[in-house]
Amino acid sequence: MQSQKNKIQVSRRDILNYTSAGILAAAGISLFGSIVKADKKMTVHAVSKLAGGKEIMSGKITLELPQIAENGNTVPLSVEVDSPMTDADYVKSVHIFAEGNPEPSVASFHFTPASGVAKASVRMRLAKTQNVVAVAEMSNGSIFQATTEVKVTIGGCGG
Amino acid sequence: MAKVKARVKVPKKVAKGEIFEVKSLISHKMESGQRKHKKTGEKIPRQIINKFVCTYNGKAVFSSDWHGAVSANPYLSFHVKAVDSGSLDLAWTDDSGAVYKKTTKITVT
Amino acid sequence: MRNLYIAALGVAAMTVTSIGTVFAAEDYGKYQVEDRRSGYTYAAKETQAIQDDNFENPAMLWVDDGSVLWEQAEGEVGKACASCHEDAADSMKMTGAEYPKHNPKLGKMQNLEQRINQCRTENMKAKPFKYESAEMLGMTTFVRHQSNGQAMSVKVDGEVAPFFKKGEAFYNQRRGQLDMSCKNCHGDNSGNMARANMLSEGQSNGFPTYRLKWQKPGSIHRRFRGCNKNIRAKPFGYGSEEYVNLELYVAWRGRGLPVETPAVRN
């Protein structure tokens, strides 16, 4: 088994060598052509601003993302926050951040008790492998956070 | 695409109190403002849909703010609790100030 | 370099067979016919999910666009596609599975784009659509979507045979600085990785296809051009005879696979 694995890698690398050279560079810019350097601190800062000094708790949030994204152009994200969604107790907003993107803010969802459930899905761009962060603001002011890592294989081959 | 188009899916009939899913798609390049022109190297200005609002019989029930990282031809799904028959109005606003609207009818039984 | 490459392929072929037995039980359902598999079966499950649902598949926006164009009168004759072809669900049901077709008047093969433009210029006296324009992609996606589920069944014998031979020769011809043929990647190495990409059989049953990379749908000729450029070979023109014949051969390679336009691929 071990030797087979090695063999695959050899063959893989060779096909790679033949196809990657200039394409790699092209792929790098095709996604974002990042002008601003990504900085994790930007997300940390944005989240602490949202929290306004309150404790940031974990739990309640289910963040669904692929472990490995085939293409950073279109990464499906689904988020759900556990809440009764009544007038007295509901999720006001969920904010999504991509720590490694030049501009970390991705989207915010604003719910009401009329939403029934605090659940939404979008597709987003990820410039590279990174953490995706969801921050939920509850109607009582409490703040929850969840983080998931997504590996991004940038597809630069195949035209 | 020549013109901005949207697709919306909701169930035709839902029982009162039931929570139903709304799926939507809109054709838009979502130019992130982070890309440079291949030849000139100049930054391509941002041109994205930045706001989405869903109104149910005149009442805003869900909204969303978008940034440059939302993919081209944006897909969005969310949920609404069925109260009365009527209309579900979706509106997307882009950086140019243009508003794209789509209305669907819903029957609550 | 080339010898090294061939040696590598040899190893790949060996290991692929042994891995093949491990995965032999995998059931690809309607996406597999005999030993031929749609590109769908090589895609990540998240990408498959986008294709599976018409309300998640962004290319359906183009299908909608095509359905509007279908009804729209244009040109000097004042007719729409629908004036002559009526309900596309009936009139175009087999079309997507059968193109490229031989056109006796032209004495050569014609792909869907060219047939649509013939109708525009001759039957409507309207301007032809440009390749890869929003209109052409809308119309081709719409027309071929009507054939969804139909088995790919291009005619390759009789008057078509010489064109088929040319398409086949193109497919097997090594070209470009990397000196590789379509077959090297899609015939001999499907299931292996080329850099970050899993190589598929290079089937055409899902075209026009929404590529995550393009962030919009594109024609099969756009894909051919990309594959040619990747091996540093000169791409041929959109609608060129070379590519139409190649399109015929590629469609035949996928015979029996269901049309799945608009597919979603990386």
Side-chain angles (χ1 to χ4, degrees), chain A residues 28-66:
Chain A
I29 54 157
S30 70
L31 273 187
F32 267 100
S34 146
I35 294 162
V36 189
K37 259 245 157 26
D39 191 346
K40 190 182 159 182
K41 272 187 277 182
M42 288 158 74
T43 298
V44 174
H45 183 72
V47 174
S48 62
K49 219 170 113 184
L50 275 173
K54 280 178 292 227
E55 185 196 352
I56 301 169
M57 292 178 278
S58 60
K60 288 199 193 284
I61 304 176
T62 311
L63 192 52
E64 245 180 83
L65 285 154

Side-chain angles (χ1 to χ4, degrees), chain C:
Chain C
M1 285 276 269
R2 179 157 146 197
N3 285 343
L4 213 158
Y5 178 71
I6 291 166
L9 288 192
V11 176
M14 232 173 66
T15 49
V16 167
T17 357
S18 51
I19 289 171
T21 51
V22 178
F23 290 111
E26 186 105 41
D27 180 10
Y28 296 110
K30 64 175 181 177
Y31 296 102
Q32 172 162 25
V33 172
E34 293 165 3
D35 57 349
R36 305 183 285 282
R37 277 162 54 192
S38 160
Y40 178 93
T41 67
Y42 294 87
K45 71 175 197 302
E46 291 81 12
T47 309
Q48 294 178 339
I50 298 176
Q51 177 178 326
D52 288 342
D53 183 330
N54 278 351
F55 281 86
E56 295 188 21
N57 184 344
M60 289 306 290
L61 291 160
W62 276 258
V63 172
D64 278 1
D65 235 20
S67 73
V68 172
L69 285 172
W70 182 261
E71 305 282 341
Q72 208 167 285
E74 266 189 274
E76 286 166 33
V77 181
K79 284 196 167 148
C81 317
S83 318
C84 296
H85 295 293
E86 298 180 6
D87 187 356
D90 294 329
S91 61
M92 298 291 137
K93 191 174 175 188
M94 292 311 296
T95 307
E98 293 173 349
Y99 267 74
K101 253 189 202 170
H102 186 259
N103 183 317
K105 222 171 83 186
L106 300 173
K108 59 182 181 187
M109 301 305 296
Q110 200 174 34
N111 69 4
L112 192 56
E113 284 85 348
Q114 291 164 334
R115 175 66 238 197
I116 289 169
N117 271 344
Q118 187 188 348
C119 276
R120 286 186 60 84
T121 53
E122 289 178 10
N123 293 326
M124 299 164 75
K125 301 267 179 271
K127 271 203 206 139
F129 291 140
K130 286 207 181 79
Y131 244 97
E132 304 309 292
S133 63
E135 291 79 14
M136 184 60 103
L137 288 171
M139 188 58 84
T140 47
T141 326
F142 169 73
V143 168
R144 206 152 186 248
H145 182 62
Q146 310 307 314
S147 311
N148 263 15
Q150 300 297 333
M152 300 266 288
S153 52
V154 284
K155 184 176 190 279
V156 295
D157 54 0
E159 70 280 14
V160 182
F163 302 98
F164 179 75
K165 281 239 152 59
K166 282 187 201 165
E168 182 180 31
F170 190 111
Y171 196 83
N172 295 321
Q173 171 78 52
R174 293 173 172 276
R175 61 185 77 234
Q177 276 175 39
L178 301 187
D179 195 29
M180 288 175 79
S181 68
C182 314
K183 183 173 177 288
N184 285 153
C185 278
H186 296 298
D188 309 331
N189 270 300
S190 57
N192 284 341
M193 301 293 283
R195 214 170 62 84
N197 292 285
M198 162 81 82
L199 280 169
S200 76
E201 294 157 26
Q203 299 292 5
S204 60
N205 56 317
F207 278 84
T209 285
Y210 190 96
R211 275 194 75 191
L212 305 182
K213 179 181 169 185
W214 295 335
Q215 303 185 61
K216 61 180 283 200
S219 70
I220 184 92
H221 288 197
R222 181 170 182 193
R223 187 53 121 152
F224 289 168
R225 287 171 62 86
C227 279
N228 272 162
K229 285 184 204 160
N230 277 353
I231 49 161
R232 315 268 157 67
K234 198 173 140 267
F236 288 81
Y238 286 103
S240 60
E241 270 184 63
E242 287 84 355
Y243 274 178
V244 175
N245 294 337
L246 178 64
E247 186 180 341
L248 170 72
Y249 179 73
V250 171
W252 173 82
R253 283 188 81 236
R255 63 201 176 282
L257 289 176
V259 173
E260 48 173 275
T261 303
V264 180
R265 301 281 187 267
N266 178 30

Side-chain angles (χ1 to χ4, degrees), chain A residues 14-155:
Chain A
D14 276 288
I15 297 185
L16 301 193
N17 283 343
Y18 276 83
T19 54
S20 63
I23 300 157
L24 238 174
I29 54 157
S30 70
L31 273 187
F32 267 100
S34 146
I35 294 162
V36 189
K37 259 245 157 26
D39 191 346
K40 190 182 159 182
K41 272 187 277 182
M42 288 158 74
T43 298
V44 174
H45 183 72
V47 174
S48 62
K49 219 170 113 184
L50 275 173
K54 280 178 292 227
E55 185 196 352
I56 301 169
M57 292 178 278
S58 60
K60 288 199 193 284
I61 304 176
T62 311
L63 192 52
E64 245 180 83
L65 285 154
Q67 274 185 331
I68 301 172
E70 202 171 30
N71 191 305
N73 272 337
T74 311
V75 183
L77 169 144
S78 206
V79 64
E80 182 167 5
V81 186
D82 186 20
S83 160
M85 294 305 274
T86 58
D87 287 343
D89 183 2
Y90 64 97
V91 182
K92 272 171 68 180
S93 298
V94 173
H95 309 275
I96 308 294
F97 300 96
E99 278 182 1
N101 275 3
E103 183 203 358
S105 291
V106 175
S108 298
F109 307 113
H110 309 293
F111 303 98
T112 65
S115 305
V117 284
K119 184 176 182 187
S121 309
V122 281
R123 297 182 194 134
M124 64 179 171
R125 295 166 169 152
L126 293 179
K128 58 177 185 188
T129 295
Q130 58 178 286
N131 283 330
V132 174
V133 178
V135 179
E137 286 183 78
M138 308 305 214
S139 56
N140 69 4
S142 58
I143 303 279
F144 289 82
Q145 178 179 335
T147 303
T148 301
E149 194 198 38
V150 181
K151 290 200 170 61
V152 178
T153 15
I154 302 170

